[in-house]
């Protein structure tokens, strides 16, 4: 792990009534990516936002949009998220869709592809796809809601994936998503994550604290 730690604030925790301003403020505060949590009320028990929302705020910054699709099916919606301006699209292997086909479709648009793995999913599920992946997202909460408690078993998964990535696919980024805070960030960085998603923690204290919160998450 040689690159600098990246922070990808989740706009799920932002004020949706001024989403464009929030995106601009996060970029100004030093965010590396904008993490967009897309929930369909079927794969996860919550509904958040779709491609039209992404499109409406995409021009507020030039930093990459890191789109996390918690949806099933996946394939019918990929083109729309690409058109809306996604730079990275992560999907879940737990969905009942053809994962390889979905990854190929994402990559065919020159968009980066990721797999996000749930707390109950073995890390080895990524192995058949390593040659095609740009990012692996370890979920440290059961997806569906922001503000949940970090599941410590994710640390072991991070360590095993860090080793695998370093050994054979060092360009793959390793992202942690869910329940990250100032108390657990040190152990998360030690375990080898290099992209940190943070919703609640980024937004704590309001806009004046965004830059400070983001900087503190870099360790
Ligand atoms: C959970 C989402 C996460 C979450 C992060 O389903 O994928 O991105 O919103 O929010 P915090 O940091 O509040 O756990
Ligand atoms: Zn997410």
């Amino acid at each position: 792990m040689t690159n600098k730690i990246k922070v990808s604030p989740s706009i799920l925790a932002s004020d949706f009534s001024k989403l464009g301003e929030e995106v601009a403020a996060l970029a100004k505060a030093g965010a590396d990516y904008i993490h967009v949590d897309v929930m369909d009320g079927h794969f996860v028990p919550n509904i958040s936002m779709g491609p039209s929302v992404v499109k409406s705020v995409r021009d507020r910054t030039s930093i990459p949009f890191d789109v996390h699709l918690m949806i099933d099916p996946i394939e019918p919606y990929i083109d729309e998220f690409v058109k809306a301006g996604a730079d990275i699209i992560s999907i879940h292997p737990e969905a009942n869709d053809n994962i390889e086909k979905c990854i190929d479709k994402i990559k065919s648009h020159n968009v980066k592809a990721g797999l996000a793995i749930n707390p109950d999913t073995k890390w080895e599920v990524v192995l058949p796809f390593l040659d095609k992946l740009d990012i692996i997202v370890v979920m440290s909460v059961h997806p569906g809601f922001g503000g949940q408690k970090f599941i410590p078993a994710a640390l072991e998964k991070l360590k095993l994936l860090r080793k695998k990535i370093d050994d054979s696919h060092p360009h793959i980024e390793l992202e942690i998503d869910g329940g990250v805070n100032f108390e657990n960030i040190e152990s998360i960085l030690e375990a080898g994550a290099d992209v940190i998603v943070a919703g609640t923690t980024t937004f704590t204290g309001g806009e004046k604290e965004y830059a400070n919160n983001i900087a503190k998450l870099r360790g």
Side-chain angles (χ1 to χ4, degrees):
M1 198 175 55
T2 48
N3 295 339
K4 123 177 190 305
I5 303 300
K6 292 178 177 158
V7 179
S8 187
S10 168
I11 53 171
L12 193 63
S14 70
D15 180 346
F16 282 11
S17 72
K18 48 168 191 169
L19 193 55
E21 285 140 68
E22 293 276 53
V23 166
L26 292 168
K28 195 169 160 227
D32 298 279
Y33 297 155
I34 299 293
H35 188 83
V36 183
D37 285 308
V38 177
M39 305 177 177
D40 67 351
H42 167 73
F43 181 72
V44 289
N46 193 9
I47 298 177
S48 57
M49 58 194 114
S52 55
V53 174
V54 174
K55 188 163 182 242
S56 71
V57 297
R58 185 63 192 91
D59 68 353
R60 300 303 179 100
T61 179
S62 59
I63 66 173
F65 269 42
D66 167 30
V67 176
H68 177 194
L69 296 184
M70 288 161 274
I71 65 173
D72 188 8
I74 305 162
E75 202 265 346
Y77 302 101
I78 290 172
D79 288 353
E80 284 303 308
F81 281 101
V82 170
K83 266 191 246 160
D87 301 275
I88 303 165
I89 297 180
S90 294
I91 64 173
H92 275 266
E94 301 89 356
N96 291 303
D97 208 329
N98 184 328
I99 297 305
E100 177 137 43
K101 201 169 154 201
C102 290
I103 292 173
D104 288 344
K105 189 163 186 173
I106 295 167
K107 303 282 293 184
S108 74
H109 293 289
N110 268 328
V111 166
K112 292 186 174 175
L115 274 186
I117 55 175
N118 281 344
D120 295 336
T121 301
K122 288 195 162 66
W123 71 272
E124 290 94 337
V125 74
V126 303
L127 290 174
F129 308 104
L130 283 180
D131 286 343
K132 296 179 176 181
L133 292 177
D134 300 286
I135 188 162
I136 295 171
V137 185
V138 172
M139 295 304 303
S140 38
V141 296
H142 295 283
F145 300 92
Q148 301 184 75
K149 200 170 173 302
F150 184 84
I151 299 171
L155 294 173
E156 191 55 28
K157 222 184 250 185
L158 280 176
K159 286 180 195 161
L160 294 165
L161 279 161
R162 178 79 266 153
K163 178 158 179 20
K164 182 71 200 164
I165 289 169
D166 286 349
D167 285 350
S168 64
H169 294 75
H171 68 282
I172 296 179
E173 294 191 312
L174 183 57
E175 182 169 277
I176 185 81
D177 185 7
V180 177
N181 58 41
F182 299 132
E183 280 73 55
N184 58 28
I185 187 64
E186 199 178 321
S187 56
I188 289 167
L189 296 176
E190 259 171 38
D194 49 20
V195 183
I196 309 298
V197 175
T200 309
T201 299
T202 302
F203 289 90
T204 299
E207 194 177 327
K208 64 178 193 330
E209 295 299 325
Y210 293 174
N212 191 26
N213 292 340
I214 289 169
K216 273 164 77 179
L217 287 168
R218 288 209 177 86

